[in-house]
Amino acid sequence: GNLEEDGTCRDAYTGTDEVVTAVCLKQYANVTAEPAIDSQGREEVALFDISDILSWNRTQMGEWWYWEGKERFPCHDKGDCLAHLPMAFHK
């Protein structure tokens, strides 16, 4: 990773604060973070407007930070990649 994701547990006010939080959870609580997706790869935490997430096509958009490190699922190219019962909406 880059300097924001250097594998250390610390205060982080960056776009990768979730990664740093996962490092701290593992280091101090022995908790391993897992992707927040359902069995079909649909997101359980909405990071963007719902209409955007439901219309995105991974192949057409190309690989950018949103897709980085994510396993590919059919919904990534068909849309409908938001879980039917999302846990959170992040803004």
Side-chain angles (χ1 to χ4, degrees):
N2 57 31
L3 292 177
E4 293 179 351
E5 298 177 19
D6 64 2
T8 61
C9 176
R10 59 186 163 69
D11 286 335
Y13 302 99
T14 70
T16 61
D17 54 337
E18 291 88 353
V19 174
V20 176
T21 300
V23 169
C24 295
L25 285 169
K26 182 64 176 172
Q27 183 176 343
Y28 291 104
N30 200 29
V31 173
T32 302
E34 297 279 334
I37 58 174
D38 68 12
S39 62
Q40 296 178 30
R42 298 178 299 208
E43 301 289 335
E44 293 181 333
V45 176
L47 299 178
F48 295 95
D49 289 335
I50 293 171
S51 60
D52 291 337
I53 295 170
L54 293 176
S55 65
W56 284 349
N57 181 304
R58 186 173 182 170
T59 300
Q60 290 176 354
M61 295 174 80
E63 297 294 317
W64 56 292
W65 72 261
Y66 180 78
W67 301 114
E68 187 177 332
K70 292 184 179 185
E71 179 182 347
R72 186 177 279 275
F73 287 90
C75 73
H76 293 172
D77 289 323
K78 295 189 304 186
D80 190 31
C81 243
L82 182 64
H84 293 169
L85 296 172
M87 295 186 291
F89 298 91
H90 185 332
K91 278 276 187 176

